[in-house]
Every structure is written in C-alpha cells, then in structure tokens.
Amino acid sequence: IFERFTRLDEGRRRDTTGTGLGLAISRDIAHAHHGTLRIEDSSHGARFVLRLPLLDPNAIDE
C-alpha cells in the first residue's frame, strides 16, 4: 500500500483524482523525521498510525 505506482490511462479516465504517490511520499517524510507510518486494523476500517520521536530540547541548534 505504501509502494509508488503509476495509474494507467484507463484508471485515470474513470477517476481523475490521485497519482499513486501520496502514501509513498507520506512514509518517506515520516522516515526522514526518524518516524514511522503504518496501517492497522480498526473496528471502523483502516487506521494510519504516524509515530514521530519527541524533540529533544537540548539538541536544538540556535
């Protein structure tokens, strides 16, 4: 679900929204911030869980 994909012409004709990159880019951003993005089951369907590390106030360069 997080893999980049290309929508073929037929798919784009049926539904013009989306490029197939959103979730892949979202996961890349999470990883760039030393976090994770994953999908879990939920009683209401799928749940996306983003986890990012807490900021260490001593690590801030001014």
Side-chain angles (χ1 to χ4, degrees):
I1 189 168
F2 292 103
E3 296 297 319
R4 294 173 190 268
F5 65 91
T6 302
R7 295 185 62 202
L8 301 177
D9 289 339
E10 183 179 330
R12 286 194 305 258
R13 277 195 298 273
R14 287 192 310 253
D15 180 9
T16 59
T17 60
T19 61
L21 298 175
L23 290 176
I25 291 170
S26 298
R27 181 174 263 185
D28 288 348
I29 291 170
H31 287 171
H33 292 278
H34 307 287
T36 60
L37 178 62
R38 61 189 178 138
I39 190 169
E40 296 179 350
D41 286 334
S42 167
S43 60
H44 301 287
R47 173 184 16 215
F48 291 87
V49 179
L50 172 65
R51 296 192 187 273
L52 297 171
L54 291 174
L55 177 66
D56 180 358
N58 298 321
I60 297 175
D61 294 330
E62 292 188 36

